[in-house]
Amino acid sequence: MSDYIKVKNPATGQVIKEIRINSEEEIKEKLKKGHDCFKKWAKVNAHERSRLLRNWSRIIQENKTEIAEIITLENGKPLSESLGEVDYATSYIDWYAEEAKRIYGRTVPASSETKRIIVTKQPIGLVAAITPWNFPAAMMTRKAAPALAAGCPFIVKPAVETPITTIKLVELAHEAGIPVDVIQYVNGSGTKVGELFTSSEYVRKITFTGSTPIGKLLIKNSADTVKHVTMELGGHAPLIVCEDADLDFAVQQALLTKFRNAGQTCVCANRIIVHEKIAKTFSKEFAEAAQKLIVGNGLDKGTQIGPIINEKGYNKIINQINDAIEKGAEVLAGNQFIADREKGYFFVSPTVLANVKLNMNIMHEETFGPVAPIITFKSLEDAVEIANSTPYGLAAYFFTNNYKTGTYLSENLDFGIVGWNDGAPSGSHIPFGGMKESGIGREGGLEGIEPYLETKYLSIGNF
Ligand code: SIN
């Protein structure tokens, strides 16, 4: 890698900005600064930390249009989605500005009259975050807000594809009054910075959103210094449509979860599993609606599907489609591409595949693109077996109006997030995270601040 990251607009392949890569010395220096300010930041009272977070959220909202345009320029998603992402990002700050004031301890009845027992929570120390390109604002604040609320300093390395959003958010945090060493960013390759973060004696916690293989490496490398980890990793979400489902609603929700951010989210439906009796009707309606989605530059009015982030992502999608077609899948919509490898832009039209079989790669590999494979099922037991036959366990969706079917599915699906007649379950108020190889820990909600806190227990004797 050269000394600069060339940040490209994925819709055109044009370089929009060059961002300087930090040297090893600079990163170590920043880690030290983050560590050195820990005690001071931890002592700032919770109401003041809350006030600073509210300031940050307000200033981000004042700059909402500019930030949304940056997101669209470097990530490619439609501007309407970027505007939504800014709101999603500040919702985490607003939530944790409140949670800062609710970090409670407790007293425990002692086993002897001469003792008193008090349990308290205290911040864990310097938190190092590695954030992804698919939600450059929201994934950063989802980590920064609980860390800062808990009293931890925070240092973040954004994805090389989307560093500009992070730089802007950190600058606004400083403008909001959060001390410069308390929230910092560094730029560089994931491998290099990951090594520096995991080997640093100053870092007490690593929080990461990204692929499962990288997550595993970060967990391994954190072992030597026994760091806490929160890992939000890959997914392969099933979406089950039962015989009694409200079909129009299921189609509309499936479109929402499948094609948000051009299918480039960890919680996107990756496999659509439909009861054989309604499969034909569902597939027809779904394919017709998918076909109508407008593909283009995220800055153009009306665009609903932006570009694929890069050539590697594009190749993976093409390979999965070709593999499925070779093994007998039928194309109901899409399978059209606008790409220029030289210029560096890649668009895939929303693609719907029917007659899908379990031996196709798309049924096992995360797609991260606008491709929807449809497979059918006969019994609920089959549907659950197909759904759970993956090492991932992040999100699952199902559509039914029968409470017994719904209860059976919700109890038997091995996923951290389950949407019952709901294709959009994300939010700052809910514990987001996965089972199995989809991760460790939860982000958001009441659970999302715990990973930034240590529990200390005080036993007072001689009463
Ligand atoms: C992700 O794709 O990692 C996050 C999606 C969300 O928060 O809804």
Side-chain angles (χ1 to χ4, degrees):
M1 203 181 257
S2 69
D3 290 334
Y4 285 83
I5 297 167
K6 288 187 190 330
V7 185
K8 290 185 183 166
N9 178 349
T12 60
Q14 277 163 355
V15 174
I16 48 177
K17 202 165 184 169
E18 299 206 356
I19 302 288
R20 197 172 67 77
I21 292 170
N22 292 106
S23 67
E24 195 171 317
E25 290 65 41
E26 281 172 334
I27 296 172
K28 284 184 173 164
E29 181 62 22
K30 282 176 183 252
L31 289 170
K32 184 171 182 319
K33 281 185 177 162
H35 170 263
D36 289 351
C37 70
F38 169 47
K39 293 279 179 218
K40 202 168 164 202
W41 177 244
K43 284 206 173 75
V44 172
N45 77 69
H47 290 256
E48 176 62 4
R49 292 201 302 269
S50 173
R51 188 187 67 78
L52 291 170
L53 283 168
R54 288 198 307 275
N55 265 354
W56 187 25
S57 171
R58 180 182 46 77
I59 295 178
I60 292 174
Q61 282 294 334
E62 284 165 9
N63 290 271
K64 180 172 171 175
T65 311
E66 186 192 340
I67 298 168
E69 280 166 5
I70 295 173
I71 296 173
T72 292
L73 274 174
E74 61 181 358
N75 163 285
K77 67 178 69 175
L79 192 58
S80 55
E81 285 193 34
S82 297
L83 287 163
E85 186 181 338
V86 178
D87 288 341
Y88 188 30
T90 53
S91 75
Y92 282 102
I93 306 176
D94 296 343
W95 179 269
Y96 286 108
E98 293 306 313
E99 284 301 301
K101 295 178 279 183
R102 297 187 180 90
I103 301 171
Y104 302 130
R106 71 189 208 281
T107 58
V108 178
S111 56
S112 126
E113 294 75 22
T114 64
K115 285 192 180 189
R116 302 289 181 273
I117 297 171
I118 300 171
V119 178
T120 57
K121 300 279 179 179
Q122 62 184 51
I124 209 163
L126 175 61
V127 172
I130 302 179
T131 54
W133 50 262
N134 64 343
F135 290 88
M139 296 305 101
M140 187 276 203
T141 59
R142 180 146 100 183
K143 298 173 191 313
L148 298 175
C152 301
F154 182 81
I155 185 161
V156 55
K157 188 213 92 72
V160 289
E161 290 84 356
T162 55
I164 310 173
T165 306
T166 297
I167 294 173
K168 181 77 189 170
L169 292 180
V170 171
E171 284 170 1
L172 294 181
H174 296 157
E175 202 179 313
I178 300 172
V180 287
D181 293 344
V182 168
I183 179 163
Q184 307 179 82
Y185 65 83
V186 296
N187 281 301
S189 84
T191 317
K192 186 96 206 148
V193 180
E195 271 168 25
L196 290 168
F197 278 3
T198 49
S199 61
S200 170
E201 60 187 303
Y202 297 130
V203 174
R204 286 312 309 139
K205 178 179 175 70
I206 300 279
T207 171
F208 170 68
T209 295
S211 75
T212 294
I214 304 291
K216 287 180 181 176
L217 190 68
L218 290 169
I219 296 169
K220 272 189 200 135
N221 292 347
S222 296
D224 281 345
T225 46
V226 195
K227 294 190 200 317
H228 294 248
V229 293
T230 294
M231 296 283 146
E232 203 265 272
L233 308 177
H236 204 282
L239 184 149
I240 301 171
V241 187
C242 298
E243 199 182 339
D244 72 296
D246 174 339
L247 233 100
D248 291 345
F249 184 69
V251 166
Q252 179 242 321
Q253 293 288 300
L255 284 170
L256 190 72
T257 166
K258 177 64 256 185
F259 297 114
R260 172 180 175 223
N261 200 11
Q264 301 172 109
T265 87
C266 302
V267 288
C268 273
N270 217 114
R271 296 165 286 156
I272 303 192
I273 307 167
V274 187
H275 192 278
E276 59 178 8
K277 286 200 183 142
I278 52 155
K280 220 170 166 183
T281 323
F282 174 88
S283 306
K284 187 169 174 290
E285 263 190 50
F286 181 70
E288 279 172 7
Q291 193 93 45
K292 288 191 191 130
L293 296 172
I294 299 163
V295 180
N297 187 322
L299 287 178
D300 294 343
K301 217 164 171 240
T303 293
Q304 291 165 299
I305 306 281
I308 302 305
I309 191 73
N310 56 29
E311 188 167 16
K312 191 169 164 226
Y314 177 74
N315 289 342
K316 187 177 182 194
I317 296 166
I318 301 280
N319 288 341
Q320 287 189 7
I321 295 177
N322 289 342
D323 168 78
I325 294 173
E326 268 164 36
K327 290 174 181 160
E330 184 194 343
V331 178
L332 298 186
N335 197 25
Q336 283 158 356
F337 314 95
I338 306 165
D340 188 322
R341 287 188 193 271
E342 210 133 279
K343 291 199 171 119
Y345 60 79
F346 308 92
F347 293 86
V348 176
S349 63
T351 298
V352 180
L353 303 172
N355 205 20
V356 166
K357 299 280 173 300
L358 288 173
N359 66 345
M360 297 175 183
N361 292 343
I362 197 159
M363 291 302 285
H364 308 285
E365 292 174 4
E366 195 172 22
T367 305
F368 246 67
V371 187
I374 301 177
I375 190 165
T376 58
F377 72 91
K378 277 190 207 312
S379 69
L380 271 187
E381 290 73 16
D382 288 348
V384 168
E385 199 180 317
I386 298 171
N388 285 343
S389 64
T390 168
Y392 296 114
L394 187 56
Y397 309 90
F398 62 80
F399 291 85
T400 179
N401 287 330
N402 180 310
Y403 81 94
K404 284 191 180 167
T405 307
T407 306
Y408 173 81
L409 289 173
S410 57
E411 287 175 357
N412 285 286
L413 288 169
D414 298 332
F415 294 82
I417 304 162
V418 178
W420 176 348
N421 290 340
D422 184 7
S426 299
S428 54
H429 51 294
I430 57 102
F432 187 106
M435 296 181 180
K436 301 190 320 196
E437 294 192 17
S438 283
I440 300 175
R442 295 293 180 267
E443 294 187 305
L446 184 59
E447 289 82 354
I449 199 158
E450 271 299 318
Y452 298 92
L453 296 166
E454 290 278 17
T455 298
K456 184 183 271 178
Y457 133 66
L458 175 68
S459 180
I460 313 168
N462 197 23
F463 275 93

